Amino acid sequence: MEYVRLTGEGGAFGWQSAQDGVWRLTLGGCAAGECLVIGEAGTRRITPDAGGAFRGDTACGRALCVAALPEGALLAYDVQRLSRQEARILCRERTRPAVSVKQEQPEASPEPALTEPVQIEEALPEIAEQAMKEEAKPEIHYRDAPQTPPVDALPVLEWPGTAQKLRPYFEKNRPLRLFDWPQWRMIRWQHMGGAPCYVGVRVGERRVTAVLYAVQARGGMLPPKGLAGYRYQRAADGKGYWTLIQEV
């Protein structure tokens, strides 16, 4: 199962996961009212519950961003695919009311739940160009939009002490959700004696503050040899893991 964290705006947060080609979306902290999920295969209108939460299939592929309706304000976006400004423009464009045409036309059929797919490769250059025009100020010159995929919009982290040796692994491997713990970023690291092994870092104020090692538990409730000091924890997938947290 693949997990992708979404960066939220205005108190919103969320993530999405893919299994067997189906993407499921989890949102929280949304304002009351309808929202529009903009995905790689179209769009879908959703309505969060009274607590501002939603959980269900996207029905439009991997979500690129989520907009509040009707104003089109950005709620959350995938930083692996879009920058914040690109996501804001995409939300505004996809929620803009259609311009009426004064001529006789056949009666329009109800708008389907899914609209045309988002051609992200074609849309990004135009979005990036418009974002540069909106942000331009006198006597400020911006570089041309890069051809490489957008980088992570999070601030550059400091990796003090023993955490520094783990930095290359987090730069090369895709993050995943192992535990429902805020501020933790996890990756699959290696196998230990045939058991899956994971490593995570806790992100504080622009720096890594702790390191977590996790090994999938097998057998009894006592840690095996070589894992003295590890504690048993139940993960989001329902499996047990031996974990060790080291402050840095």
Side-chain angles (χ1 to χ4, degrees):
M1 182 177 293
E2 179 183 359
Y3 287 93
V4 177
R5 181 177 63 86
L6 298 178
T7 298
E9 294 278 300
F13 62 91
W15 63 86
Q16 55 184 323
S17 61
Q19 186 173 17
D20 298 328
V22 178
W23 284 90
R24 291 185 60 82
L25 176 66
T26 300
L27 292 174
C30 300
E34 280 191 314
C35 301
L36 183 69
V37 180
I38 304 173
E40 293 179 327
T43 60
R44 179 195 176 188
R45 287 174 177 260
I46 62 173
T47 304
D49 59 23
F54 171 83
R55 182 179 179 87
D57 294 348
T58 65
C60 57
R62 177 170 174 171
L64 303 174
C65 53
V66 181
L69 294 175
E71 68 274 8
L74 175 64
L75 293 177
Y77 64 100
D78 182 354
V79 297
Q80 298 180 14
R81 303 301 306 275
L82 299 172
S83 69
R84 175 186 292 177
Q85 187 66 16
E86 290 168 344
R88 286 178 173 174
I89 294 175
L90 184 57
C91 287
R92 187 166 63 248
E93 292 295 325
R94 289 287 163 172
T95 56
R96 178 182 297 173
V99 179
S100 60
V101 179
K102 294 183 179 180
Q103 62 181 18
E104 292 187 0
Q105 294 181 349
E107 183 178 354
S109 58
E111 183 180 356
L114 296 180
T115 62
E116 72 279 0
V118 177
Q119 300 297 329
I120 188 65
E121 290 80 4
E122 299 177 3
L124 281 181
E126 181 179 349
I127 293 173
E129 181 179 357
Q130 184 175 350
M132 292 173 64
K133 290 180 179 179
E134 291 185 359
E135 293 183 349
K137 296 180 180 179
E139 300 181 359
I140 297 180
H141 301 280
Y142 293 91
R143 295 180 299 175
D144 294 335
Q147 300 302 316
T148 55
V151 298
D152 195 338
L154 295 175
V156 178
L157 295 177
E158 298 180 14
W159 297 72
T162 57
Q164 180 63 34
K165 65 180 182 180
L166 300 175
R167 182 174 183 175
Y169 295 99
F170 282 85
E171 293 176 346
K172 295 179 181 179
N173 292 277
R174 178 172 295 179
L176 51 85
R177 183 177 68 95
L178 188 62
F179 299 100
D180 288 324
W181 297 349
Q183 296 183 312
W184 283 93
R185 297 163 64 182
M186 304 284 302
I187 60 169
R188 185 161 184 162
W189 194 17
Q190 60 186 7
H191 281 73
M192 179 179 293
C197 181
Y198 302 84
V199 64
V201 292
R202 185 177 65 205
V203 179
E205 188 66 26
R206 296 196 177 188
R207 69 186 299 272
V208 174
T209 60
V211 175
L212 166 70
Y213 300 95
V215 181
Q216 186 173 333
R218 294 181 178 180
M221 296 300 294
L222 293 177
K225 294 181 180 179
L227 297 182
Y230 279 63
R231 295 180 56 190
Y232 183 85
Q233 300 279 357
R234 183 72 64 179
D237 58 6
K239 299 177 181 179
Y241 292 83
W242 295 108
T243 63
L244 177 67
I245 297 179
Q246 295 179 340
E247 301 290 334
V248 295

